[in-house]
PDB file of all heavy atoms in Angstrom:
ATOM      1  N   ILE B   8     117.295 121.298 118.219  1.00 97.00           N
ATOM      2  CA  ILE B   8     116.724 122.594 118.599  1.00 97.00           C
ATOM      3  C   ILE B   8     116.603 123.506 117.371  1.00 97.00           C
ATOM      4  O   ILE B   8     115.579 124.175 117.164  1.00 97.00           O
ATOM      5  CB  ILE B   8     117.591 123.274 119.690  1.00 97.00           C
ATOM      6  CG1 ILE B   8     117.589 122.445 120.984  1.00 97.00           C
ATOM      7  CG2 ILE B   8     117.105 124.690 119.963  1.00 97.00           C
ATOM      8  CD1 ILE B   8     116.256 122.348 121.683  1.00 97.00           C
ATOM      9  N   LEU B  17     111.090 128.443 120.499  1.00 96.00           N
ATOM     10  CA  LEU B  17     111.020 127.872 121.840  1.00 96.00           C
ATOM     11  C   LEU B  17     111.556 128.858 122.879  1.00 96.00           C
ATOM     12  O   LEU B  17     112.590 129.483 122.664  1.00 96.00           O
ATOM     13  CB  LEU B  17     111.859 126.596 121.921  1.00 96.00           C
ATOM     14  CG  LEU B  17     111.368 125.358 121.176  1.00 96.00           C
ATOM     15  CD1 LEU B  17     112.272 124.180 121.519  1.00 96.00           C
ATOM     16  CD2 LEU B  17     109.931 125.036 121.518  1.00 96.00           C
ATOM     17  N   GLU B  22     112.650 124.800 125.966  1.00 96.00           N
ATOM     18  CA  GLU B  22     113.841 124.104 125.505  1.00 96.00           C
ATOM     19  C   GLU B  22     114.387 123.172 126.589  1.00 96.00           C
ATOM     20  O   GLU B  22     114.707 122.009 126.307  1.00 96.00           O
ATOM     21  CB  GLU B  22     114.901 125.150 125.120  1.00 96.00           C
ATOM     22  CG  GLU B  22     115.978 124.602 124.218  1.00 96.00           C
ATOM     23  CD  GLU B  22     116.953 125.699 123.773  1.00 96.00           C
ATOM     24  OE1 GLU B  22     116.475 126.760 123.309  1.00 96.00           O
ATOM     25  OE2 GLU B  22     118.161 125.489 123.899  1.00 96.00           O
ATOM     26  N   HIS B  48     108.098 102.862 121.201  1.00 97.00           N
ATOM     27  CA  HIS B  48     107.820 103.777 122.316  1.00 97.00           C
ATOM     28  C   HIS B  48     108.260 105.204 122.059  1.00 97.00           C
ATOM     29  O   HIS B  48     107.818 106.117 122.729  1.00 97.00           O
ATOM     30  CB  HIS B  48     108.506 103.269 123.590  1.00 97.00           C
ATOM     31  CG  HIS B  48     107.829 102.090 124.191  1.00 97.00           C
ATOM     32  ND1 HIS B  48     106.555 102.157 124.701  1.00 97.00           N
ATOM     33  CD2 HIS B  48     108.218 100.797 124.342  1.00 97.00           C
ATOM     34  CE1 HIS B  48     106.195 100.969 125.160  1.00 97.00           C
ATOM     35  NE2 HIS B  48     107.183 100.120 124.945  1.00 97.00           N
ATOM     36  N   VAL B  72     109.931 101.253 103.844  1.00 95.00           N
ATOM     37  CA  VAL B  72     108.905 102.263 104.080  1.00 95.00           C
ATOM     38  C   VAL B  72     109.521 103.656 104.078  1.00 95.00           C
ATOM     39  O   VAL B  72     108.949 104.597 103.550  1.00 95.00           O
ATOM     40  CB  VAL B  72     108.213 102.006 105.440  1.00 95.00           C
ATOM     41  CG1 VAL B  72     107.212 103.094 105.755  1.00 95.00           C
ATOM     42  CG2 VAL B  72     107.554 100.649 105.461  1.00 95.00           C
ATOM     43  N   LEU B 116     104.377 116.894 127.101  1.00 97.00           N
ATOM     44  CA  LEU B 116     104.915 118.219 126.752  1.00 97.00           C
ATOM     45  C   LEU B 116     104.030 118.942 125.737  1.00 97.00           C
ATOM     46  O   LEU B 116     103.906 120.163 125.778  1.00 97.00           O
ATOM     47  CB  LEU B 116     106.343 118.104 126.208  1.00 97.00           C
ATOM     48  CG  LEU B 116     107.466 117.843 127.207  1.00 97.00           C
ATOM     49  CD1 LEU B 116     108.820 118.089 126.557  1.00 97.00           C
ATOM     50  CD2 LEU B 116     107.327 118.709 128.460  1.00 97.00           C
ATOM     51  N   CYS B 117     103.428 118.174 124.848  1.00 96.00           N
ATOM     52  CA  CYS B 117     102.524 118.816 123.883  1.00 96.00           C
ATOM     53  C   CYS B 117     101.295 119.381 124.581  1.00 96.00           C
ATOM     54  O   CYS B 117     100.750 120.404 124.160  1.00 96.00           O
ATOM     55  CB  CYS B 117     102.084 117.824 122.801  1.00 96.00           C
ATOM     56  SG  CYS B 117     103.302 117.618 121.491  1.00 96.00           S
ATOM     57  N   LEU B 123     105.210 123.344 121.350  1.00 97.00           N
ATOM     58  CA  LEU B 123     105.622 122.007 120.937  1.00 97.00           C
ATOM     59  C   LEU B 123     104.513 121.306 120.174  1.00 97.00           C
ATOM     60  O   LEU B 123     104.747 120.598 119.194  1.00 97.00           O
ATOM     61  CB  LEU B 123     106.059 121.169 122.135  1.00 97.00           C
ATOM     62  CG  LEU B 123     107.453 121.532 122.625  1.00 97.00           C
ATOM     63  CD1 LEU B 123     107.780 120.787 123.906  1.00 97.00           C
ATOM     64  CD2 LEU B 123     108.493 121.206 121.540  1.00 97.00           C
ATOM     65  N   ARG B 139     101.513 111.739 100.666  1.00 95.00           N
ATOM     66  CA  ARG B 139     100.511 111.758  99.604  1.00 95.00           C
ATOM     67  C   ARG B 139     101.158 111.837  98.229  1.00 95.00           C
ATOM     68  O   ARG B 139     100.725 111.181  97.289  1.00 95.00           O
ATOM     69  CB  ARG B 139      99.600 112.973  99.772  1.00 95.00           C
ATOM     70  CG  ARG B 139      98.464 112.711 100.683  1.00 95.00           C
ATOM     71  CD  ARG B 139      97.196 113.266 100.020  1.00 95.00           C
ATOM     72  NE  ARG B 139      96.034 112.810 100.750  1.00 95.00           N
ATOM     73  CZ  ARG B 139      94.895 113.495 100.827  1.00 95.00           C
ATOM     74  NH1 ARG B 139      94.784 114.670 100.246  1.00 95.00           N
ATOM     75  NH2 ARG B 139      93.871 112.998 101.468  1.00 95.00           N
ATOM     76  N   VAL B 165     121.219 108.695  97.475  1.00 96.00           N
ATOM     77  CA  VAL B 165     121.427 107.628  96.489  1.00 96.00           C
ATOM     78  C   VAL B 165     122.838 107.046  96.623  1.00 96.00           C
ATOM     79  O   VAL B 165     123.037 105.832  96.525  1.00 96.00           O
ATOM     80  CB  VAL B 165     121.197 108.149  95.055  1.00 96.00           C
ATOM     81  CG1 VAL B 165     121.513 107.076  94.022  1.00 96.00           C
ATOM     82  CG2 VAL B 165     119.771 108.638  94.891  1.00 96.00           C
ATOM     83  N   GLN B 193     124.474 103.873  79.307  1.00 76.00           N
ATOM     84  CA  GLN B 193     124.723 103.745  77.873  1.00 76.00           C
ATOM     85  C   GLN B 193     124.298 104.978  77.110  1.00 76.00           C
ATOM     86  O   GLN B 193     124.962 105.379  76.155  1.00 76.00           O
ATOM     87  CB  GLN B 193     124.004 102.496  77.342  1.00 76.00           C
ATOM     88  CG  GLN B 193     124.653 101.226  77.850  1.00 76.00           C
ATOM     89  CD  GLN B 193     123.863  99.980  77.500  1.00 76.00           C
ATOM     90  OE1 GLN B 193     122.683 100.057  77.195  1.00 76.00           O
ATOM     91  NE2 GLN B 193     124.518  98.832  77.547  1.00 76.00           N
TER      92      GLN B 193
END
Side-chain angles (χ1 to χ4, degrees):
Chain B
I8 296 294
L17 290 186
E22 199 176 310
H48 286 295
V72 176
L116 284 194
C117 279
L123 283 174
R139 274 226 169 151
V165 176
Q193 290 172 341

